[in-house]
């Protein structure tokens, strides 16, 4: 059972902002009317957004599709640099063009009955569509979500409404367990033995969770962030070292089988 | 011939020596792969030519990551010529390109003169290859690359050696990181180059003020995009008056007006590089815009723009 | 010494040979006149130093207009060293500058070695002049100017000649329009330069696609602004490891972070040029921002940034 | 009687957009709340506006102050390139910083009783404050205004309300005389013999009017547009060749005595 979509046509669509609101400190949720991409996108895929024209920054910015509702894409974004600052300033009616759907999306192994989703901070973004899709297929989903504080537990409501079980940890103990999500994961893997673990979050966290899963003999997929110029496989800026050689995160990922990734040969994660 | 304001058909063809392009717009090497990735956005048969990414003799892993960094109106890259080697390229990319009615120009890299020659010799056997573009200007490899493009002697040597093994049109891609690009252009012209491409990227660097590390793993990289356009236009203009072979101009082309600027400066064709990343349809916009520009001004043949800058 | 996160006083002083600046931020020649025009926006006594516009022996009319053109994240200029001559400069500008407690560095232009020497000799007599910055890199004059900055022999000759007539600190301003800037830097160091400034502008050109004329009356001009920052940072970094004299770094500095980038690459001081046009308070913002940057990171002396890039 | 203000302090002020509306095809009127500059500015002076930050264009744009009402500056602008396009997009509440007041302003010769103001197209902009100031001083003002069509006769209402007499010409004859304003000016100078002629418009027109006035022995001031980087006298990008050597339009102008200008040594006017 695959959600792979790599052979699908990539679209260039002029999207219109339906709403854009702050959902946590430094985090926004933007909703874009983008019917053609909305109908084609699969969980784990992303769009490459041209936030601004005429700005001194040129490149598009990659963002995961958090959810799709009808013709609309939801994107959860963290404000970090000039691109995301400009994104935060977009008001209803603004237009932006995007390329999508991009990437292969998450892969659901045949026979999966129980999945563990691990979200670190904004890593929740690409797990939104996934939790919905898995639930629809009757797969039991546990979400382990970590963030610095309660407020930063973005998409918590979605997870609580959709997953069978949600476990929380915060660095400051303001919600769930105090500590890192990796401690939660250790216990959940041991106790529940999921068929597959899906991870997205800071790369350091992702690596630890991958190791935990693989050590326990559980399949694991990780979503990796890389600097991306083209987003469509042409420029080779987004490479990930794997057992099968250099792969491009934009077309061969961003979700990779954790067992394939050669972590130490891979990129120093972007600073954010 | 110029017919004021009339609603004419514009002859978009340009000629580079024995090569004829249906229009002046080609892709810049390394920004378009072999075209497959752009097929959803670009009708390859509407391009003047496809210039492929650089190929070397053997597979090459490229540089460590991060490989790009954004800069004001530009970007740095240090991809480092990652490629599967000329054999794999001939097996996988050329047959795919052969389905399109578009000239194919293969960008040739090397870490030594012998390697340039070996790659060119292999490509010589393939009928899909319409011309070679020899990259003596890559700033992103330790040996070879740019070193060949920064002295007349080395540039001449590579050109001579490749010329000896190919009867295909030979384009040499020049480095802007030199005191006098006209002297390099003359040197390669003298050795039988049929055309020159310019410019490759300017050597640049960016440092992350949080981590104190260079933004590129390799430290330095190549600057491209609109930021470098004035340097590129200047070099095209200088070279146009120094040599008599045609020029493929590039550096920051995003719009048809940018392309016109390069042609007025003396380019017979123009290549879109970084612009492909910003908007994958840039080449098509430039083709259409160039035609509209000519039509709107009553210019019946786009080639009339070449070198037409007035002083 | 680095004290993590503490709320320290930052020692902002930097030393360039015998020159001591209260902070690393100076003005880039030609963008700040002699400071008078900025007095409503900048407290001159809060600058590291004022670097004046270039002065030549006799009054010089400069180039025809248009003299500037805007480009992506940059601008071209071909002012062409318009100035009233060194005598008028000493009479009118230096006394005005003398009222401020700020080091004065006079940028020296010449159309021949003899002219550089004559200007330097005249300035030698004036106590208001704390140092000379010899501009061997102006791309906007026909004779002299950049020509002196593009070969080691000529650069060395100008430096040697000026060195012979001045005991003041001698800074040589280098051209980026060269294949290997480190070799020029070494040549001027060998002739007794006390510091180098880099970079001057990149030679560029822009063509108006409506009129088909160059946007600058003179055709080519010098490219400055954020567009060139990656090239400038790269050159500062290269030169820092090639010479042991200090570097004044410049090219596209608009913010304190830009200044930090240049210092990490190896600059002991930084100059703000085009940034003054965009925001006349840029120098002050950079001074304040640099101090805040250090304080926020527990860096007790700004000089600890110099050359601190990590690999 | 001088309106010279060159010794005044230049200010950097953060202005806020009060309103911004289209007043003719491709022409806008923007009103900026900028109290310190508003109280200092004299007729003929201008501001150097930073329209956008973070854009790929860096430089400020110079604009004449058309009128001042209380704390507010009115600027009439023609949409030409990326700067003025961005200006046209500014909405109420937007902030922009500006430097001003800049330039010397118009000079009113001692004993002026009758002034002719010649406005070509957007040249009407710097004449707004002037017509008001002259009227206040009891100076008789005739305005000769030319434009391609009626719609482009910007500020016509102001002139009609304030000047003693307004003569109009349009290229298409849709208002006033058909033809160029220079024909009007020829007649008005001959008939009325004004004490001084103030001219602003396309440089070709300005030159003709200057020649007409000087030939008739009438004092003439011209406002010249030059490309300006700094706007404050430092960069020497805006020079005008005069009998007294090279002058800077930003601090020694933009209004010059027509008799001083060496037209042929001067700039090829910007294309717009
Ligand atoms: C496949 C993919 C999906 C992503 N999904 C999301 C998401 O759903 N929500 C979200 O908030 N962020 C997401 N990111 C990260 C997001 O792309 C960056 O935060 C964003 O590009 C930062 O842009 P900026 O201009 O604000 O930062 P700047 O630091 O100013 O950006 C400078 C350059 O670095 C790149 N860059 C900086 N940080 C990153 C990063 N972490 N990953 C990739 N490129 C980066 C920018 O794209 C730009 O080219 C995703 C990244 C990838 C690769
Ligand atoms: C003292 C002065 C007062 C002015 N007053 C007004 C006014 O009240 N209303 C108005 O509509 N225009 C006025 N102008 C012209 C106005 O500054 C330009 O139209 C504007 O800068 C164009 O910017 P842009 O980005 O739209 O055009 P672009 O062509 O994209 O601009 C590119 C560059 O050229 C410069 N430029 C282009 N045209 C001119 C020009 N005509 N004069 C000076 N610089 C130019 C720009 O400032 C910029 O640096 C004035 C100019 C000067 C010098
Ligand atoms: C990511 C990237 C990869 C490139 N790879 C190559 C290459 O393999 N061979 C080559 O000759 N030039 C290469 N170039 C240079 C471009 O072909 C072009 O000369 C340069 O980028 C300037 O054009 P632009 O500003 O339109 O990008 C590369 C440029 C970029 C940005
Ligand atoms: C309008 C202008 C005039 C300049 N005049 C001089 C000059 O007289 N002497 C000189 O050494 N450099 C001159 N320069 C170069 C600057 O000092 C500086 O080296 C260059 O602009 C790069 O810095 P920036 O990007 O911060 O402007 C001039 C630059 C500009 C933009
Ligand atoms: S971003 Fe260009 S190959 Fe992945
Ligand atoms: S605009 Fe700089 S001197 Fe006038």
């Amino acid at each position: 059972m695959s959600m792979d979509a790599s052979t699908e046509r990539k679209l260039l669509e002029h999207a219109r902002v339906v709403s854009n609101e702050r959902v946590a400190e430094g985090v926004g949720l933007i909703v874009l009317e983008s019917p053609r991409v909305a109908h084609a996108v699969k969980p784990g895929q992303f769009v490459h957004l041209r936030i601004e024209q005429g700005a001194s920054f040129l490149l598009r910015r990659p963002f995961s599709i958090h959810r799709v509702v009808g013709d609309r894409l939801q994107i959860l974004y963290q404000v970090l640099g000039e691109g995301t600052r400009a994104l935060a300033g977009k008001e209803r009616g603004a237009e932006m063009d995007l390329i999508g759907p991009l990437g292969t999306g998450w892969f659901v192994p045949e026979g999966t009955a129980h999945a563990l989703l691990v979200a670190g901070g904004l890593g929740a973004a690409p797990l939104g569509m996934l939790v919905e899709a898995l639930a629809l297929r009757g797969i039991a989903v546990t979400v382990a979500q970590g963030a610095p504080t309660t407020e930063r537990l973005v998409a918590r409501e979605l997870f609580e409404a959709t997953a069978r079980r949600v476990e929380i940890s915060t660095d400051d103990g303001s919600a769930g367990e105090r500590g890192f999500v990796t401690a939660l994961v250790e216990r959940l893997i041991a106790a529940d033995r999921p068929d597959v673990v899906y991870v997205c979050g800071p790369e350091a966290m992702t690596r630890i969770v991958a190791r935990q899963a693989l050590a326990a003999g559980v399949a694991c997929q990780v979503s990796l962030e890389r600097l991306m110029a083209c987003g469509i496989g042409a420029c080779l800026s987004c490479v990930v070292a794997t057992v099968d050689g250099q792969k491009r995160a934009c077309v061969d990922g961003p979700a990779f089988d954790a067992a394939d990734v050669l972590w130490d040969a891979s990129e120093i994660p972007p600073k954010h | 011939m110029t017919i004021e304001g009339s609603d004419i058909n514009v002859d978009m063809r340009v000629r580079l020596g024995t090569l004829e392009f249906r229009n002046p717009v080609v892709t810049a090497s390394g920004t378009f792969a072999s075209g497959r990735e752009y097929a959803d956005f670009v009708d390859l048969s509407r391009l003047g030519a496809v210039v492929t990414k650089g190929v070397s003799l053997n597979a090459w892993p490229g540089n460590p990551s991060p490989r790009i960094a954004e800069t004001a109106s530009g970007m740095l890259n240090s991809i480092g010529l990652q490629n599967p080697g000329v054999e794999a390229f001939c097996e996988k990319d050329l047959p795919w390109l052969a389905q399109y009615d578009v000239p194919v120009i293969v960008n040739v890299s090397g870490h030594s003169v012998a390697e340039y020659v070996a790659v060119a010799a292999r490509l010589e056997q393939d009928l899909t290859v319409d011309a070679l573009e020899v990259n003596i200007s890559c700033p992103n490899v330790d040996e070879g690359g740019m070193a060949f493009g920064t002295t007349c002697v080395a540039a001449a040597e590579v050109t001579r050696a490749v010329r000896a093994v190919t009867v295909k049109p030979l384009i040499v891609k020049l480095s802007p990181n030199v005191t006098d690009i006209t002297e390099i252009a003359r040197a390669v012209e003298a050795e039988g180059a049929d055309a020159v491409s310019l410019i490759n990227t300017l050597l640049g660097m960016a440092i992350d003020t949080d981590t104190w590390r260079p933004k590129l793993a390799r430290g330095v990289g190549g600057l491209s995009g609109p930021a470098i356009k004035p340097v590129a236009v200047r070099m095209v203009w200088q070279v146009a008056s120094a040599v008599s072979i045609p020029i493929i101009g590039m550096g920051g082309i995003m719009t048809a007006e940018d392309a016109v600027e390069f042609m007025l400066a003396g380019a017979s064709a123009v290549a879109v590089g970084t612009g492909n990343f910003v908007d994958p349809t840039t080449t098509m916009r430039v083709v259409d815009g160039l035609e509209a520009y000519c039509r709107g001004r009553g210019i019946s043949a786009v080639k009339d723009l070449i070198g037409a800058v007035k002083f």
Side-chain angles (χ1 to χ4, degrees), chain A, chain B:
Chain A
M1 183 167 57
S2 161
M3 292 176 173
D4 185 295
S6 60
T7 55
E8 294 200 355
R9 208 176 140 76
K10 298 177 185 82
L11 306 166
L12 174 66
E13 188 160 39
H14 293 271
R16 184 183 292 270
V17 177
V18 176
S19 66
N20 189 9
E21 54 192 28
R22 182 184 173 288
V23 293
E25 170 77 38
V27 179
L29 176 73
I30 192 165
V31 179
L32 299 172
E33 180 93 20
S34 186
R36 293 191 303 141
V37 172
H39 287 104
V41 68
K42 304 280 184 310
Q45 289 189 303
F46 69 99
V47 293
H48 212 21
L49 197 58
R50 188 160 183 199
I51 297 172
E52 206 77 88
Q53 298 198 16
S56 66
F57 72 90
L58 288 178
L59 297 177
R60 290 171 182 269
R61 302 296 192 250
F63 292 97
S64 303
I65 300 308
H66 178 51
R67 288 186 68 206
V68 172
V69 179
D71 286 348
R72 297 172 175 184
L73 306 173
Q74 295 188 1
I75 291 172
L76 267 172
Y77 62 93
Q78 182 147 25
V79 179
L80 293 168
E82 37 186 2
T84 47
R85 259 198 307 278
L87 190 60
K90 293 291 169 188
E91 293 178 1
R92 184 182 169 82
E95 288 187 30
M96 272 178 278
D97 78 55
L98 53 79
I99 316 176
L102 303 178
T104 53
W106 300 108
F107 177 80
V108 183
E110 208 64 54
T112 299
H114 180 195
L116 172 63
L117 275 52
V118 184
L122 255 281
L127 297 173
M129 281 189 81
L130 180 65
V131 69
E132 293 181 317
L134 294 174
L136 262 181
R137 298 181 190 193
I139 296 173
V141 178
T142 303
V143 173
Q145 185 175 20
T149 64
T150 306
E151 210 220 353
R152 299 290 207 94
L153 289 164
V154 293
R156 182 179 178 180
E157 297 73 19
L158 173 70
F159 293 145
E160 286 180 340
T162 319
R164 205 181 45 175
R165 178 173 164 200
V166 179
E167 297 283 335
I168 301 277
S169 74
T170 51
D171 301 359
D172 67 353
S174 55
E177 267 187 37
R178 177 193 300 269
F180 296 119
V181 71
T182 46
L184 270 184
V185 170
E186 187 82 57
R187 283 208 315 275
L188 288 169
I189 290 178
D192 298 3
R193 297 212 55 85
D195 300 310
V196 55
V197 179
Y198 295 98
V199 198
C200 188
E203 193 141 320
M205 180 210 92
T206 301
R207 285 172 76 149
I208 297 173
V209 174
R211 204 167 49 216
Q212 292 170 326
L214 298 179
V218 177
C220 179
Q221 275 177 60
V222 294
S223 184
L224 299 179
E225 287 187 1
R226 287 295 177 274
L227 300 180
M228 292 182 176
C230 71
I232 59 172
C235 72
L236 305 179
S237 60
C238 63
V239 290
V240 171
T242 75
V243 293
D244 301 321
Q246 308 247 50
K247 295 287 177 187
R248 297 160 298 177
C250 65
V251 288
D252 305 317
F256 288 91
D257 189 324
D260 293 343
V261 177
L262 300 177
W263 296 100
D264 291 326
S266 234
E267 182 168 12
I268 307 157
K271 68 165 188 268
H272 302 308
Chain B
M1 204 188 59
T2 298
I3 310 158
E4 268 312 319
S6 68
D7 196 11
I8 48 169
N9 260 333
V10 181
D11 180 353
M12 291 289 285
R13 290 170 305 169
V14 292
R15 187 173 272 292
L16 273 90
T18 58
L19 284 171
E20 185 168 282
F21 297 164
R22 67 169 60 75
N23 66 56
V25 184
V26 312
T27 59
S29 176
T31 66
F32 202 75
S34 290
R36 200 188 267 111
E37 287 77 4
Y38 280 90
D40 285 344
F41 305 105
V42 173
D43 177 355
L44 267 70
S45 56
R46 291 191 58 221
L47 288 170
V50 170
V51 181
T52 71
K53 69 184 163 209
V55 285
S56 53
L57 186 58
N58 302 309
W60 200 255
N63 288 325
S65 293
R67 291 177 167 188
I68 60 166
E70 217 179 11
T71 67
S73 295
M75 63 176 284
L76 289 166
N77 88 79
S78 72
I79 305 301
L81 296 181
Q82 178 186 332
N83 81 92
V86 67
E87 205 51 56
F89 172 79
C90 291
E91 272 163 38
K92 283 192 267 177
D93 289 347
L94 289 178
W96 185 85
L97 274 167
Q99 14 162 13
Y100 292 90
D101 171 28
V102 65
V104 172
I105 301 175
V106 179
N107 184 270
V108 176
S109 330
H111 303 80
S112 65
V113 175
E115 185 175 357
Y116 282 109
V117 169
V119 176
R122 173 63 186 85
L123 293 168
E124 192 64 10
Q125 302 158 28
D126 201 309
L127 291 176
T128 306
V129 180
D130 294 292
L132 305 183
E133 180 183 65
V134 176
N135 177 10
I136 57 168
S137 46
C138 181
N140 294 321
V141 292
D142 285 326
E143 302 146 67
M146 197 173 92
F148 291 110
T150 54
T151 69
C152 291
V153 173
E157 191 189 346
V158 175
T159 309
R160 186 165 51 238
V162 174
R163 178 76 292 172
V165 298
T166 186
V167 296
K168 298 189 197 274
L170 172 57
I171 305 163
V172 180
K173 179 142 174 199
L174 306 184
S175 172
N177 301 292
V178 294
T179 307
D180 181 2
I181 196 166
T182 65
E183 112 194 348
I184 313 279
R186 275 191 297 257
V188 305
E189 180 183 37
E191 295 298 343
D194 298 302
V196 283
S197 281
L198 55 141
I199 60 175
N200 210 313
T201 52
L202 284 166
L203 194 62
M205 181 180 194
I207 300 173
D208 188 312
T209 57
D210 281 329
T211 62
W212 294 15
R213 290 183 190 283
K215 289 192 181 174
L216 300 175
R218 193 166 167 272
V220 297
L223 182 64
S224 63
I228 68 168
K229 195 182 71 169
V231 175
V233 170
R234 181 262 295 183
M235 290 187 165
V236 166
W237 175 72
Q238 288 179 318
V239 171
S241 51
V243 299
S244 48
I245 49 177
I247 298 169
I248 304 178
M250 70 204 74
I253 295 176
M254 311 290 280
T255 67
E257 275 65 34
D258 296 333
V260 170
E261 205 177 337
F262 275 89
M263 293 188 73
L264 293 173
S268 295
V270 293
V272 173
T274 303
N276 293 309
F277 305 155
V278 175
D279 174 0
T281 67
T282 300
T283 46
M284 297 292 97
R285 276 196 297 105
V286 174
V287 170
D288 294 337
L290 210 46
E291 188 170 354
Y293 176 95
C294 291
R295 189 177 303 113
R297 282 168 178 73
I299 298 164
S300 58
V302 73
K303 70 173 161 38
D304 293 347
L305 298 176
I306 302 168
V309 61
K310 297 182 209 161
F311 267 88

